[in-house]
Amino acid sequence: IGLGHVYNTLLIANDILNHQIEFLVDSRSQLAYDKISAKNYSVRIQACEDIADDVIGLNPDVVINDRLDTSKTYVSKIRNAGIRVINFEDLGDGAKEADLVINAIYPEKEVLPRHYFGHDYFILRDEFFLTTPRPPAPDVSRVLLTFGGVDPNNLTCRVLEAIHPYCQSHDIAISVAAGFGYQHYEKLEEYKNINIYKNCTNISRHMQSADIIFTSAGRTTYEVASLRVPAIVMAQNPRELTHFFASAEYGFLNLGLGAQLEMEDILEAFTGLVENHESRTYMAELLAKTDLASGRKRTLKLINDVVEQA
């Protein structure tokens, strides 16, 4: 769903280049195929009816799955072929069969061996290590809308409709960072005086310069937290509602399922933050309490431990 899994696996691949790496995407993921190919990795698209047969056909020592919930049948079939299995964001029955499971986003319902979950295992991109957070300014002058690489519910335009008149009358600049798979650029043209960044490769600088960010409840929330920018979260789908990190406890204003929100609710949440510097400062303080810098190193050690045993 979306491109979060693509960016995550590209980061992992970049950090284990001392091994031979091949990518496999399912038959519905042409967008993922194109994105990975652009990074010059060897990538194949599903050819067999059962993608487990494609995996086994590649004869790997280790397979890293980042495809949400897996089945017991799928993981067992791969392991029975002598292949070690590492799963990301997996709450399915297959997770119990894997050699390693890492869930940085979804909370697990039970404690299981070889399962690691929570923000301690989020893999932060290089650009966020190199970008310095700044304290909230007394006045809001810029808001950023970024709803992932695809934004399937077009929450971008939903937020624009709600806040554009207010921003125009209060001299607040609007920036939109739309991703690789966004399909509604023509609708953005209906809104005057907004900055549109297509397929931007360095989103951290746009986040850093924003006073408030609108985003969905995926991996972007961790990136926002690393820069300590007050953010309003709107979930793309019911699964995103289970993302425990995108909550008030960690400094976010989470409005719930974006497609079900009224324009008035979005505007009220936004103006409430714009007009309350104290609230924005408190949100930034909560965001700063989460140490995201060590997650990448910690996760790669777990992966390499499995690889070395293969």
Side-chain angles (χ1 to χ4, degrees):
I1 301 174
L3 289 173
H5 60 293
V6 174
Y7 296 126
N8 190 55
T9 47
L10 284 171
L11 277 173
I12 295 167
N14 190 58
D15 283 346
I16 55 173
L17 285 175
N18 54 320
H19 300 285
Q20 180 182 342
I21 296 165
E22 291 187 85
F23 281 83
L24 171 68
V25 301
D26 68 43
S27 56
R28 299 167 297 170
S29 298
Q30 184 65 45
L31 191 61
Y33 181 94
D34 295 340
K35 189 68 176 178
I36 295 164
S37 296
K39 298 295 182 180
N40 297 316
Y41 282 106
S42 173
V43 55
R44 305 178 189 222
I45 199 157
Q46 177 183 357
C48 303
E49 183 176 349
D50 183 355
I51 198 169
D53 292 327
D54 291 86
V55 174
I56 294 168
L58 290 172
N59 193 32
D61 298 298
V62 180
V63 58
I64 298 177
N65 292 295
D66 198 334
R67 55 189 301 248
L68 296 181
D69 299 347
T70 62
S71 68
K72 181 178 179 179
T73 302
Y74 168 77
V75 175
S76 295
K77 186 173 183 177
I78 292 172
R79 290 199 74 208
N80 289 339
I83 301 166
R84 291 189 177 270
V85 176
I86 299 172
N87 292 353
F88 275 82
E89 321 305 349
D90 186 2
L91 300 180
D93 292 335
K96 295 180 181 179
E97 308 298 317
D99 295 279
L100 172 66
V101 177
I102 298 169
N103 281 326
I105 296 178
Y106 304 104
E108 298 201 4
K109 297 178 181 179
E110 56 184 316
V111 178
L112 297 169
R114 307 182 307 278
H115 283 229
Y116 300 84
F117 61 93
H119 55 73
D120 286 343
Y121 303 96
F122 181 74
I123 301 176
L124 195 64
R125 289 186 280 168
D126 290 336
E127 63 179 285
F128 292 94
F129 285 108
L130 303 173
T131 305
T132 304
R134 63 179 181 86
D139 299 313
V140 172
S141 61
R142 183 176 300 277
V143 58
L144 172 68
L145 281 55
T146 178
F147 286 99
V150 178
D151 188 8
N153 295 295
N154 197 13
L155 298 181
T156 300
C157 280
R158 194 168 185 82
V159 172
L160 276 174
E161 183 180 348
I163 72 169
H164 187 264
Y166 178 90
C167 290
Q168 291 289 286
S169 62
H170 289 76
D171 199 27
I172 298 174
I174 299 176
S175 295
V176 174
F180 192 71
Y182 187 65
Q183 301 292 321
H184 306 285
Y185 282 111
E186 74 286 350
K187 292 185 178 180
L188 298 182
E189 296 173 1
E190 299 174 9
Y191 297 93
K192 297 180 179 179
N193 302 322
I194 67 171
N195 302 302
I196 302 171
Y197 302 100
K198 298 182 179 180
N199 307 328
C200 59
T201 56
N202 190 0
I203 196 172
S204 58
R205 63 187 180 91
H206 298 300
M207 289 184 177
Q208 183 201 43
S209 64
D211 298 298
I212 296 173
I213 294 174
F214 277 91
T215 189
S216 49
R219 299 179 192 276
T220 307
T221 54
Y222 290 93
E223 296 169 347
V224 169
S226 74
L227 299 179
R228 306 170 193 172
V229 184
I232 298 172
V233 175
M234 297 165 56
Q236 290 277 8
N237 51 64
R239 188 183 179 100
E240 282 197 354
L241 294 175
T242 68
H243 292 194
F244 60 92
F245 186 68
S247 66
E249 177 184 355
Y250 294 99
F252 295 94
L253 176 54
N254 193 323
L255 302 184
L257 203 58
Q260 295 181 354
L261 290 170
E262 300 292 339
M263 297 294 119
E264 294 80 4
D265 297 328
I266 298 171
L267 180 59
E268 182 180 357
F270 177 62
T271 57
L273 279 188
V274 169
E275 297 165 9
N276 195 329
H277 178 245
E278 185 177 351
S279 290
R280 287 184 281 112
T281 300
Y282 181 57
M283 291 172 73
E285 290 172 353
L286 290 175
L287 293 169
K289 289 182 178 181
T290 303
D291 174 24
L292 293 168
S294 304
R296 185 165 169 178
K297 183 178 180 180
R298 190 179 291 117
T299 301
L300 287 166
K301 182 183 184 306
L302 292 171
I303 291 172
N304 281 319
D305 287 346
V306 173
V307 172
E308 288 169 6
Q309 294 168 12

